[in-house]
Amino acid sequence: MTQIVDTEAAAPQPGATPTVQEDTPGPEPSPALSAPSPVEAALEDDTEPQNPLTEKFSEAEWEALKEFREAFPEQDDAESTSYNLWGVTINPLKPKDARVSVVLMKFLRARNLNPAEAKDMLISTLRWRKSFKVDEAMKEQFPEDVFGKLGRTYGKDKDGHPIAYNLYGANKDLDAVFGDTQRFLRWRVAFMEESIALLDFETVDQMVQIHDYEGVSMSSRTQASKNAASEASSIFQGHYPEFLAKKFFVNVPSFLTWIFWIFKPLLSAATVAKMSVVGSGPKVIGTTLLPLIPADQLPKRYGGDADGF
């Protein structure tokens, strides 16, 4: 049998003294506080994830990085958008990540720790990568007979930096190499991206570059080659900051040596310190490179013991 529960209050019985409940004032309600955004909450935590590269940041660099993260990004939908840059995901909802810090520091150092200028450079780079279609360039199949010998990566220096070789005289057919400037630039960017893929942004975030001019002559400096070199230089200066540990120019013909001295006053002291013009031949080149690169990591053509390429 189902029991029916009377939900009404029971009436007071005759003769009973009704009980009067006094209204006791409750605690005052706390004023409503606006919850911080996910980005603000993450930034308020002073704990910084570390790796061997971030542990080398100076106090000034950390301060600039914190200001940089607070200012970036500015798009309306930015808080739900992540960017993948050189294999590192930059997520505005989780801005504190050691590898992200290493990538962002590149832009800061390239702009003398000025967060506003670094932000402009980063946004410009993201826009350029989209318009240039970098991901498509990396998937493109370039003719082996044209570009196959122009760029190689081989070995590491004593600090673990991978070594990228640019061999300017490896293909004498300049029309094939530079005739289609945009194709050359896509190949050159793809080669740069492949070299960067060797970096882990934890223990190493820079590479050594060796520019080999063996086989280059006066006739190699065509208008097409100069235009392509100028555009490539502009791309790397504007969108690939602080990737250079050292740069060596080897087998440089005498008619080109003076060019380096002319442009030297136009370069920053930090950049000049990373560049060296080396002589020609394995013995001379090896004298400069072997103190920095183990013999088994350096091809014989450059004074090492490795078979190389």
Side-chain angles (χ1 to χ4, degrees), residues 132 142 178-187 231:
F132 191 87
F142 298 98
F178 301 108
D180 185 339
T181 302
Q182 292 306 309
R183 184 180 69 167
F184 169 79
L185 292 175
R186 291 196 303 274
W187 169 79
E231 287 194 46

